[in-house]
Amino acid sequence: MQATRRTFTLGAAMAVLTACGGRSTGGGVASLAARAPDPVMVAVPDAGWDAWVAAFKGRAAGQGISQATLSSSFARAGFLPEVIEKDRNQTEFSRTLEEYLAIAASDERVAKGRANYARYRDVLAQIEAGYGVEANVVTAIWGLESMYGERRGNVPVVSALSTLGYEGRRGAFFEDQLVAALRILQNGDTTPDNMTGSWAGAMGHTQFIPTSYLGYAVDFTGDGRRDIWSDDPTDALASTASYLARSGWKKGQAWGGEDGSPGAAFGTRRIQPQPGGPVFVVGPNFSAIKRYNNSDSYAIGVGHLADRIAGAGPIRGGFPPDRYGMTADQREQLQIRLTAAGYDTGGTDGVLGGKSRAAIAAYQQSVGLPATGEPSLDLLRRLS
């Protein structure tokens, strides 16, 4: 068949963690992506993709996917070259824990977390009673994965996964996810048009990949569908609680906490993810969170955000200057001064991501310096 030209939008960019196996089986850290408007994705004709889909349909049919499901699922699917571009050009740098927490537990995310915790208090209490996972922890995962449903992703999952399966770099993984997505559609939980997510196939409020959905998603509303895509987050939040419960979550125990905090009393081992930074004492529930995303920073981010949502204060310990000799306050001042000078840094949170570095490079070029995009104390002084 010939792929038709269609336009889609790119949602949860950080779901690359899912695509790369950054978690055992859960979703992505979509909400840590930039908050800029989603760029448009365009499906284009591609004979190779057409041939791959034709062969895949035979393999899927052999795994119990009906012809009706295959026909409806691929009726408006297409090859998305931007998905391959995203997969091949993933950002290589990794954030320090200080930078990660500045985003994961930002004032905005904490405020919105407390507001959503209050808004959904009753349903979260029911979920906590049903699965034994504290409501603030479920809310925190929701906040990290999709900014409380604001960034669920709008890429058609069948198009994204078939494009990645056809690409072949991790073809077996994505083909397994595509078959799982078709099983979800065959079960009637959603429709092909409604099954949207990140470019890497992570879906819904808490960014489940299809195989995790099949294993852990629940119909908490009782309407016969495990609907993690709708504006109502109930099924997604319950599915997250289901995931954590089956990953060994122990109700009534803190994940741990910064050394000396009340939560640290539940810890069994000490970790210091960033040299010179705060020490955390973590316990079994920390490991349960890491089943959702196998990253110490992610688990600390979830745990700390959950604590903040419940009323706790910021991390008390300090972090050392970065490799440029700059503290978080100095990096924030650099962003503020660049913004005042007319260079858009995309925010003033002390985290120097792509937009901040582009702003630095533009300023450097304007004053005759090498446009490296690298921050420095000298640059901060020049902007004073």
Side-chain angles (χ1 to χ4, degrees), residues 37-380:
D38 294 340
V40 173
M41 275 195 176
V42 179
V44 302
D46 187 279
W49 180 85
D50 294 341
W52 185 90
V53 168
F56 166 78
K57 286 181 175 179
R59 296 192 295 273
Q63 297 183 61
I65 305 300
S66 71
Q67 291 302 318
T69 298
L70 289 166
S71 178
S72 62
S73 299
F74 281 95
R76 295 203 287 171
F79 172 71
L80 300 177
E82 287 185 65
V83 164
I84 291 180
E85 180 182 347
K86 291 289 181 184
D87 185 48
R88 291 180 178 172
N89 296 286
Q90 297 165 18
T91 303
E92 294 297 329
F93 71 89
S94 59
R95 300 194 187 280
T96 64
L97 178 63
E98 181 183 24
E99 292 171 326
Y100 192 92
L101 289 178
I103 302 172
S106 66
D107 290 343
E108 178 189 18
R109 207 179 302 266
V110 170
K112 288 185 175 182
R114 290 173 177 171
N116 279 286
Y117 182 83
R119 179 183 179 186
Y120 292 99
R121 183 180 303 277
D122 290 344
V123 71
L124 284 165
Q126 294 169 23
I127 290 170
E128 181 175 328
Y131 294 97
V133 179
E134 282 75 3
N136 60 316
V137 175
V138 174
T139 305
I141 288 179
W142 185 23
L144 278 188
E145 295 292 347
S146 70
M147 188 59 98
Y148 310 103
E150 295 177 15
R151 302 282 297 184
R152 282 170 269 170
N154 296 298
V155 181
V157 168
V158 172
S159 293
L161 292 177
S162 60
T163 295
L164 290 165
Y166 160 58
E167 176 198 21
R169 193 161 72 91
R170 292 189 302 279
F173 171 81
F174 286 113
E175 181 163 330
D176 286 346
Q177 296 306 316
L178 180 55
V179 171
L182 296 177
R183 292 194 194 283
I184 295 167
L185 294 169
Q186 188 161 281
N187 291 341
D189 285 304
T190 191
T191 66
D193 285 345
N194 288 335
M195 182 182 268
T196 55
S198 76
W199 66 263
M203 309 177 297
H205 288 265
T206 51
Q207 294 290 281
F208 271 56
I209 59 174
T211 50
S212 294
Y213 176 98
L214 289 178
Y216 301 97
V218 298
D219 171 23
F220 200 76
T221 63
D223 67 355
R225 296 179 297 116
R226 298 174 292 175
D227 189 355
I228 65 172
W229 301 270
S230 73
D231 290 339
D232 179 359
T234 300
D235 281 356
L237 298 177
S239 296
T240 297
S242 165
Y243 190 106
L244 290 175
R246 292 174 60 184
S247 297
W249 185 269
K250 299 181 183 299
K251 183 174 173 57
Q253 292 190 15
W255 63 276
E258 188 178 5
D259 193 13
S261 70
F266 293 90
T268 56
R269 63 187 179 93
R270 297 164 62 87
I271 60 172
Q272 188 179 35
Q274 183 173 341
V279 173
F280 297 87
V281 186
V282 300
N285 283 345
F286 181 81
S287 298
I289 297 171
K290 287 186 66 175
R291 285 287 307 278
Y292 209 89
N293 184 320
N294 190 24
S295 158
D296 283 350
S297 290
Y298 178 85
I300 291 171
V302 167
H304 180 55
L305 179 58
D307 292 344
R308 296 295 311 278
I309 289 170
I315 297 291
R316 298 189 309 276
F319 289 90
D322 63 17
R323 63 191 178 98
Y324 304 103
M326 301 182 72
T327 65
D329 287 344
Q330 289 169 329
R331 293 192 298 269
E332 185 174 335
Q333 276 300 310
L334 180 61
Q335 291 173 317
I336 290 171
R337 294 177 190 181
L338 283 167
T339 301
Y343 300 92
D344 181 15
T345 62
T348 55
D349 55 8
V351 180
L352 303 181
K355 292 200 72 172
S356 290
R357 290 176 183 274
I360 290 170
Y363 173 77
Q364 289 170 325
Q365 186 174 32
S366 75
V367 296
L369 294 172
T372 64
E374 300 286 297
S376 70
L377 291 170
D378 179 65
L379 199 64
L380 181 63

